[in-house]
Amino acid sequence: PTLLAANELAKAYVVEFPKNVTGTLMHLKDGGVGSQVIGENGKIVAQASFHGLGDEALALNAFSVMAAATGQYFLSQINSQMGLMNQKIDQIMGFLYGDKKAELIAEISFVKYAFENYSSIMLHDSQQVATISSLQESRKIAIKDIEFYMYDLTSKATAKAKNYQDFQSLVEDAFQIRRSLELSMQLYVSSSIMESYYAENSDHNYLESLRADMTYYINKCNGRILSVFSKLNGRNSEYKATAFNKIDTSVL
């Protein structure tokens, strides 16, 4: 139930007919109905009474507030698992890679804002709808960035290196791309889950579709990361120290 429904309920009344009286309420010219009960003979047979639903609205209002607080609690449990997303913005900027920095930071900042203010935003219908739309956009951008970083990471596996120093630099770039890719994955998962919370959508098919999509991308990203670093590890082992060029491959 939304707070909007509770506020509308506060203005509503329930009609009670006198005991053992049947009929319909008198229809008025303005389209409404009056309190007079019209019997089968077309005549007024009684007066109906109207009782306000203010107490029920108050209970529903309290339920809406409590539901928002409960949602905030569960989102906090989920958010606690997003290690990279939990870092401060300046820390995140320190390891972001490539020309996607500004785009990714903007979306992460918004998702953090939506998470931190969930309980408050959920009590304001128009702001809730706007937030859902923005979370959907964050999700799309996260997928786009995931695809970008996966392609960029794959290219590092086969990139040429003139010497071991060049190879070390190449691997450092790969680690930086991996962190950016993992952050994009966390943004994707966070925005997807938060959208379902903001929309209050508990439809089974919708949630199953959401879970399947997230599982697909997580497995795809993890598989790509393992593949790339396996290849880089193999290349690292090919470098051998010589009498004139001492190389320590153990660090990588």
Side-chain angles (χ1 to χ4, degrees):
T2 64
L3 195 63
L4 180 62
N7 290 337
E8 289 302 310
L9 189 64
K11 307 170 190 174
Y13 291 84
V14 63
V15 179
E16 288 188 8
F17 281 36
K19 192 175 181 180
N20 299 323
V21 172
T22 59
T24 59
L25 293 176
M26 177 182 286
H27 290 270
L28 305 177
K29 290 182 179 179
D30 64 2
V33 292
S35 62
Q36 297 85 354
V37 180
I38 307 300
E40 293 179 0
N41 58 5
K43 296 182 179 181
I44 298 174
V45 295
Q47 293 282 338
S49 59
F50 296 87
H51 302 271
L53 295 176
D55 290 342
E56 287 83 352
L58 189 63
L60 186 59
N61 199 310
F63 179 86
S64 297
V65 174
M66 191 168 65
T70 304
Q72 182 80 69
Y73 169 78
F74 285 112
L75 279 177
S76 295
Q77 302 303 304
I78 296 167
N79 188 65
S80 66
Q81 305 300 316
M82 306 291 176
L84 294 175
M85 285 285 289
N86 275 322
Q87 294 186 23
K88 294 180 179 178
I89 294 297
D90 57 345
Q91 292 176 309
I92 294 173
M93 289 185 71
F95 67 75
L96 275 180
Y97 177 91
D99 57 3
K100 293 286 184 180
K101 276 187 178 183
E103 180 180 67
L104 209 48
I105 282 293
E107 297 306 320
I108 289 167
S109 296
F110 170 75
V111 170
K112 280 176 170 283
Y113 152 82
F115 162 71
E116 290 165 0
N117 296 283
Y118 174 80
S119 294
S120 175
I121 294 173
M122 283 297 290
L123 302 181
H124 299 83
D125 188 60
S126 58
Q127 199 174 10
Q128 179 187 355
V129 172
T131 303
I132 292 171
S133 178
S134 296
L135 286 169
Q136 290 172 336
E137 188 62 27
S138 294
R139 184 171 178 264
K140 289 192 290 185
I141 289 174
I143 291 175
K144 185 173 68 174
D145 288 351
I146 286 170
E147 295 293 346
F148 170 82
Y149 284 123
M150 278 200 295
Y151 175 82
D152 211 16
L153 185 62
T154 302
S155 68
K156 295 298 178 183
T158 55
K160 294 181 179 180
K162 294 180 181 178
N163 50 47
Y164 191 66
Q165 188 175 2
D166 279 357
F167 180 72
Q168 286 178 303
S169 178
L170 186 154
V171 173
E172 287 172 7
D173 286 347
F175 274 113
Q176 200 168 12
I177 297 169
R178 188 205 69 182
R179 286 194 292 270
S180 297
L181 174 57
E182 288 178 339
L183 183 63
S184 299
M185 287 167 59
Q186 291 190 11
L187 173 63
Y188 167 67
V189 171
S190 295
S191 56
S192 297
I193 292 175
M194 285 178 63
E195 181 193 341
S196 70
Y197 270 75
Y198 267 100
E200 297 180 288
N201 190 344
S202 58
D203 178 71
H204 176 75
N205 291 335
Y206 166 73
L207 294 178
E208 277 300 303
S209 174
L210 198 66
R211 183 190 63 80
D213 285 347
M214 286 191 288
T215 302
Y216 167 77
Y217 269 104
I218 289 170
N219 289 338
K220 184 178 180 180
C221 289
N222 286 341
R224 187 69 58 88
I225 290 169
L226 287 170
S227 174
V228 168
F229 280 95
S230 177
K231 290 176 182 177
L232 289 173
N233 189 48
R235 290 179 62 182
N236 185 60
S237 63
E238 292 172 1
Y239 286 92
K240 304 296 181 184
T242 65
F244 303 100
N245 188 16
K246 293 183 179 181
I247 296 174
D248 182 12
T249 61
S250 63
V251 176
L252 288 186

